[in-house]
Amino acid sequence: MSNIAIRVSDVSKKFKIFEDKPATLKDRIIYRSKGVFQEKWVLRDISFDVPQGKMIGLVGRNGSGKSTLLKILTRILQPDKGEVEIKGRVSSLLELGAGFHMDFTGRENIYMNASIFGLSRKEIDGKIDEIIRFAELGPFIENPVRTYSSGMYMRLAFSIAVHVDPDILLIDEILAVGDNAFQKKCISRIESFKNQGKTIVFVSHDNGVMERLCDELYWIHESKLIAHGEPRRIIRDYMDFLNDSEEKRLNEEAKLNVKSDEVAEVKEVFQDGDRWGNKLAEIVRVRMLDVTGAEKHFFEKGKPLTIAIHYSASNYVIDKPVFGIGIYRMDGYCCYGTNTHIDHERIALEDKGIVEFYVEHLNLVAGEYYLDVACHHENGTPYDYITRALTFNVKSYEEEIGIAYLPHQWMHKGGQ
């Protein structure tokens, strides 16, 4: 293997999914026909090498096989096909509290877990104070771990794993449990391990951390390794895939919420928000369109967006109608709102029509938002006001924070 710390060669793993599995010995004897099962392959022909001192990340949707692969690397599971070669001591953080005895104290579990990792009693004696200090458990270290919160579990498990001096560290999504301060502490320790030349395999849904820390990413989808390479490129491809999948799902849901009457008049069912008004003018449909005119739920930051408000009006003569929109973060914070009266636009209502709100550059940062739409008289009398008429997402490859994107550039003037 020379300088290869981990070699995975054509690894495949399957599980048996039982249909109506017998629960007791009596059931097995009486109902011999029971126990029918299907075979599900959770990993198919996975191959890669990890050089010593490198950090790789595994990305993919839940159920794609990432955690199963980590369990194979730790020898918890054996592959049905293929081979795994590992050089060096392995420490792992997989399932929360795995390997802990619930009735043992935190201190007793340190001795038990560290010995499993291969440390002698003398070595554990020399490290235990630092393990307890890093875990920040204080007097709770003498309590049974069954009394611990999930965050306390994670702190103890992580502290043990990083203090057994491993050559290879395997980390599943366990870090998502801790508070922000301890997560930063863990990331700092992982960076320190990387700088020391340790080999790390990392599973996380935090794309920013994956991109910053990992040398290479491997994308597993439906049990197969479909791409690997430079983190930024893999993350972009993976996020595009997730956005496209979510777009399809939302489009299917939208179809279920639309009904047609005898004259094929489309009328949307707004279920998520409140609605009020005298309905002299009624909003019958709201669509959000991209630059091609396609109805979408995901929009790229900085690209054009059109909000199309379909309306129908009664025979009552409506003068001075006003159409408005409001864009909100999911926590209810208003990002932007305006209407045709504010913008000095006059609308002459017909029996039915479409009012369009066009945005040349959608300068919102990445996130999920919802849209309010309204039609009212200039004096404020509401004809139709709908909150949360639609939800939509803004996608971006940058990592700005806040609400709005401000077009900008950085400049440096030296010698001033």
Side-chain angles (χ1 to χ4, degrees):
M1 291 178 68
S2 61
N3 70 328
I4 300 299
I6 301 173
R7 172 160 289 162
V8 178
S9 304
D10 298 318
V11 165
S12 297
K13 180 66 181 176
K14 64 183 177 182
F15 292 128
K16 293 180 179 179
I17 310 299
F18 283 89
E19 300 176 6
D20 199 15
K21 182 178 179 181
T24 66
L25 179 60
K26 179 180 177 181
D27 288 342
R28 290 180 182 273
I29 295 172
I30 297 176
Y31 305 108
R32 293 186 178 182
S33 62
K34 289 191 175 184
V36 178
F37 62 86
Q38 296 179 348
E39 291 185 340
K40 176 177 175 58
W41 289 94
V42 292
L43 291 174
R44 285 261 194 191
D45 304 320
I46 304 293
S47 296
F48 60 86
D49 291 341
V50 185
Q52 292 177 354
K54 294 296 183 180
M55 179 171 179
I56 71 162
L58 304 179
V59 299
R61 305 184 83 162
N62 291 333
S64 61
K66 306 185 301 297
S67 295
T68 300
L69 180 55
L70 285 187
K71 289 177 181 178
I72 289 175
L73 294 180
T74 58
R75 311 294 189 186
I76 295 174
L77 297 175
Q78 292 296 320
D80 292 296
K81 296 180 181 179
E83 295 181 349
V84 173
E85 301 175 71
I86 294 179
K87 185 167 67 176
R89 174 186 284 171
V90 177
S91 180
S92 61
L93 279 162
L94 303 183
E95 296 177 0
L96 194 63
F100 284 174
H101 192 296
M102 294 297 103
D103 291 323
F104 286 4
T105 66
R107 184 183 297 275
E108 291 167 335
N109 272 286
I110 290 173
Y111 278 96
M112 182 179 69
N113 272 258
S115 64
I116 292 173
F117 284 128
L119 268 65
S120 67
R121 176 83 183 197
K122 184 177 180 180
E123 288 175 316
I124 301 172
D125 288 340
K127 294 175 179 288
I128 191 165
D129 289 340
E130 175 59 20
I131 292 174
I132 295 171
R133 185 196 64 79
F134 189 92
E136 301 176 4
L137 291 176
F140 293 104
I141 199 65
E142 309 299 345
N143 294 350
V145 297
R146 58 181 163 77
T147 65
Y148 287 8
S149 67
S150 58
M152 295 165 73
Y153 270 124
M154 190 276 286
R155 295 205 301 271
L156 182 59
F158 187 89
S159 186
I160 295 171
V162 299
H163 283 90
V164 298
D165 195 24
D167 302 300
I168 299 170
L169 184 61
L170 309 176
I171 308 174
D172 207 342
E173 188 63 28
I174 186 172
L175 297 184
V177 178
D179 56 66
N180 288 336
F182 195 79
Q183 284 184 24
K184 292 178 181 178
K185 187 176 178 180
C186 292
I187 296 301
S188 177
R189 180 53 67 96
I190 293 171
E191 288 179 317
S192 175
F193 262 57
K194 182 180 177 182
N195 293 335
Q196 294 171 30
K198 307 290 187 179
T199 305
I200 305 171
V201 180
F202 189 39
V203 173
S204 175
H205 292 289
D206 189 331
N207 292 330
V209 172
M210 297 284 273
E211 182 177 338
R212 188 174 87 243
L213 295 182
C214 295
D215 300 301
E216 194 171 17
L217 292 187
Y218 290 78
W219 178 6
I220 299 176
H221 178 63
E222 293 182 350
S223 79
K224 295 181 180 180
L225 178 60
I226 63 171
H228 68 93
E230 188 268 328
R232 187 170 182 83
R233 177 179 65 82
I234 296 298
I235 287 174
R236 285 194 175 197
D237 292 346
Y238 176 53
M239 293 307 298
D240 285 342
F241 164 77
L242 291 181
N243 291 338
D244 290 343
S245 299
E246 183 67 3
E247 182 74 59
K248 291 177 182 177
R249 184 188 69 80
L250 292 172
N251 284 337
E252 290 300 319
E253 286 188 0
K255 290 177 183 178
L256 296 176
N257 288 337
V258 175
K259 60 182 179 180
S260 301
D261 62 18
E262 295 178 357
V263 295
E265 182 76 19
V266 179
K267 190 168 185 177
E268 185 122 353
V269 181
F270 304 101
Q271 296 179 331
D272 294 335
D274 295 324
R275 187 171 188 173
W276 64 88
N278 58 26
K279 300 297 177 64
L280 294 180
E282 185 175 2
I283 296 171
V284 296
R285 192 178 182 193
V286 181
R287 298 183 299 148
M288 300 187 75
L289 314 174
D290 67 8
V291 65
T292 68
E295 190 169 356
K296 296 285 186 179
H297 297 87
F298 280 79
F299 298 89
E300 189 171 341
K301 183 204 74 180
K303 298 293 177 136
L305 162 72
T306 298
I307 299 171
I309 304 173
H310 298 243
Y311 72 86
S312 66
S314 67
N315 294 327
Y316 182 83
V317 177
I318 299 175
D319 64 333
K320 298 181 180 179
V322 176
F323 284 83
I325 63 99
I327 296 175
Y328 295 81
R329 280 192 323 209
M330 294 306 290
D331 63 1
Y333 189 91
C334 182
C335 303
Y336 184 74
T338 190
N339 60 44
T340 53
H341 179 63
I342 293 173
D343 293 332
H344 307 291
E345 296 285 347
R346 291 287 184 181
I347 303 292
L349 289 189
E350 301 180 7
D351 291 342
K352 60 182 179 179
I354 304 173
V355 175
E356 294 186 340
F357 177 79
Y358 175 73
V359 179
E360 185 173 2
H361 301 288
L362 181 61
N363 286 333
L364 294 172
V365 302
E368 188 174 8
Y369 301 84
Y370 67 84
L371 176 71
D372 284 8
V373 293
C375 178
H376 59 84
H377 190 275
E378 195 173 290
N379 65 13
T381 301
Y383 297 138
D384 199 2
Y385 195 113
I386 306 169
T387 67
R388 295 180 180 264
L390 288 176
T391 60
F392 67 99
N393 289 265
V394 178
K395 58 182 181 179
S396 172
Y397 298 120
E398 285 73 38
E399 297 182 21
E400 311 99 342
I401 60 174
I403 300 173
Y405 169 76
L406 303 180
H408 63 275
Q409 64 183 57
W410 293 92
M411 293 177 290
H412 171 243
K413 297 180 181 180
Q416 299 295 315

